[in-house]
Amino acid sequence: QVQLVESGGGLVQAGGSLTLSCAASGSIFRINGMGWYRQAPGKQRELVASITGSGMTTYAASVKGRFTISRDNAKNTMYLQMNSLQSEDTAVYYCNAFIMRFTTDTTSSYWGQGTQVTVSS
């Protein structure tokens, strides 16, 4: 079984910073692409940033230059450093990872439970 657990969310004032973490655990053979998504009330879930197994990154236009995605493959952990936070960044943030388990030869998509980020203006 594989689990993704996010942490680091909370309440922050506009202009502040937060760092989210996503730790993967279980019978993991390899983690391929990973990403952070967010969903604000009444809105669809959107991709915030993604990172490949080799470290190539992409960002949504709304967060480019403010957010930084990274990963530590030795720890099976992904991070999202969020700076210059704005009220529009308020949402539940989810991590996603494409993981191959030891017991299979296929890659499956896994999601974390989400962590709330609230930015007060």
Side-chain angles (χ1 to χ4, degrees), residues 47-100:
L47 176 64
V48 175
S50 65
I51 185 167
T52 66
S54 59
M56 293 182 63
T57 60
T58 60
Y59 296 93
S62 60
V63 307
K64 204 166 188 177
R66 300 188 297 122
F67 291 10
T68 302
I69 189 172
S70 61
R71 61 190 287 173
D72 184 335
N73 291 330
K75 295 182 179 179
N76 287 339
T77 300
M78 174 178 63
Y79 306 95
L80 185 68
Q81 173 68 44
M82 305 185 292
N83 298 326
S84 303
L85 283 162
Q86 306 165 357
S87 57
E88 300 78 48
D89 297 316
T90 295
V92 178
Y93 284 70
Y94 299 89
C95 69
N96 172 258
F98 289 89
I99 296 174
M100 179 178 288

Side-chain angles (χ1 to χ4, degrees), residues 3-4 9 11 13 16 27-28 31 42 51 64 68 77 101 104 106 108 112-113:
Q3 277 191 319
L4 297 180
L11 174 64
Q13 288 189 332
S27 57
I28 297 169
I31 301 177
I51 185 167
K64 204 166 188 177
T68 302
T77 300
R101 298 172 56 186
T104 72
T106 59
S108 299
Q113 82 288 352

Side-chain angles (χ1 to χ4, degrees), residues 26-42:
S27 57
I28 297 169
F29 175 68
R30 183 175 65 240
I31 301 177
N32 295 327
M34 304 180 79
W36 287 100
Y37 290 73
R38 68 186 181 186
Q39 187 166 21

